[in-house]
Amino acid sequence: MADVAVDMPNLEVGTLKSFNPAKFGFVQTSADAEALFLPQECPLAHGIAVGETVQFFTAESPKGLRAFGVRRPCLLGTLKSFNPSKFGFLTTEDGDEAIFYPQDVVAGHSFEPGDIVEYDLAERPRGKAAKNIAKFGAVARSPAPNSTAQFPGGATGPMATPPTLPGRSGAPFMHSMGGVQPGKQRGKVKSFNPIKGWGFISMANGEEAMVHTKNIVDGHVLAVDDVVDFVVEDTPKGRRATNVTSVATGGGGGGGGGGGGGGGGGFCTSH
């Protein structure tokens, strides 16, 4: 964006090497280096599959290279206006305007007119619209006052409190992690979008049930391949999973279908 003067952070394009949403992940840079990132600093990393192309910006830390803002490749724009109780507009690289709404803003980010923002294009009936909007170069951490996670090398940092899970990934999920509570059944998360708050669970009979954040009773943020127990309800709009509790996490792979925002058609690079 030639008409915008901005002190650009060290933006990189690389690949997602590993990711455990309850702990941390690693990206591989174009220089074949590894950089660690934390889930609460990179909410749009949820739902990206290992091996996918990602963008991020990096900074050196006492424990090595760190990555921030990990997400699928997106677009850059300039914030024109924003009313947090109504809607806002940004100016695209083509000079067009795109509308967005408060729910389209990545949690923790705030803006002033003229800020450079990252975004994805959204599909809406009228005109251009934006989603997954974050202030370029800013790190917004999710609230995590009550627990810490151990990093490789011994460093610690704030983490969202995960549930205590009795099992680990790798065992046949239907039988090896203890009995299912009466009235519930066991399944595996097929997809989940933490930004939108919903996804799907694969049941033992091969069918699927939709799950929403409001029906997750232990507060766990679901990820692909997590094992969960739940109650199935038949509704006019299909099967719904309620009273959802986690049994075991799915491991390091990020996962696919319920991804946090699709690519916007280009890389966030300066012009």
Side-chain angles (χ1 to χ4, degrees):
M1 298 177 63
D3 59 339
V4 176
V6 59
D7 185 13
M8 304 288 266
N10 185 23
L11 187 68
E12 302 244 9
V13 175
T15 56
L16 185 67
K17 185 170 183 180
S18 64
F19 184 33
N20 184 330
K23 294 183 178 180
F24 47 78
F26 287 93
V27 294
Q28 189 156 14
T29 72
S30 56
D32 210 28
E34 290 185 3
L36 179 144
F37 68 92
L38 300 179
Q40 75 270 23
E41 296 172 345
C42 306
L44 296 182
H46 293 269
I48 301 178
V50 170
E52 274 195 64
T53 298
V54 289
Q55 68 161 60
F56 47 90
F57 53 97
T58 57
E60 291 290 343
S61 77
K63 293 293 181 178
L65 191 64
R66 287 284 314 278
F68 303 91
V70 178
R71 66 186 294 171
R72 289 187 174 98
C74 65
L75 300 171
L76 280 182
T78 306
L79 188 80
K80 183 175 181 180
S81 62
F82 181 43
N83 183 330
S85 64
K86 293 184 179 180
F87 51 82
F89 289 93
L90 60 83
T91 303
T92 71
E93 293 178 299
D94 299 327
D96 296 332
E97 286 188 357
I99 192 171
F100 64 94
Y101 297 91
Q103 64 266 29
D104 299 315
V105 175
V106 177
H109 284 258
S110 59
F111 311 103
E112 297 290 340
D115 284 346
I116 307 302
V117 293
E118 306 172 0
Y119 69 97
D120 297 316
L121 287 177
E123 295 182 5
R124 295 221 167 90
R126 298 181 180 178
K128 285 189 175 181
K131 63 180 180 180
N132 297 334
I133 302 157
K135 186 175 181 179
F136 183 56
V139 179
R141 293 173 175 84
S142 301
N146 296 322
S147 69
T148 59
Q150 191 75 19
F151 291 6
T156 59
M159 286 289 291
T161 306
T164 302
L165 301 177
R168 300 296 301 168
S169 60
F173 76 92
M174 293 306 295
H175 305 291
S176 65
M177 285 166 278
V180 181
Q181 297 177 22
K184 285 190 169 186
Q185 58 179 286
R186 183 159 292 172
K188 185 177 285 188
V189 177
K190 180 179 180 181
S191 64
F192 190 74
N193 186 322
I195 305 300
K196 295 181 179 179
W198 58 270
F200 290 91
I201 295 171
S202 296
M203 299 186 291
N205 62 4
E207 297 180 351
E208 295 179 1
M210 184 178 179
V211 58
H212 193 278
T213 299
K214 66 183 180 182
N215 297 126
I216 302 171
V217 298
D218 61 5
H220 181 56
V221 178
L222 298 182
V224 171
D225 289 339
D226 281 359
V227 179
V228 292
D229 289 346
F230 55 96
V231 175
V232 176
E233 293 185 0
D234 288 316
T235 75
K237 294 184 178 181
R239 286 193 170 94
R240 295 287 190 271
T242 63
N243 197 19
V244 180
T245 54
S246 298
V247 178
T249 57
F267 292 92
C268 278
T269 54
S270 58
H271 288 203

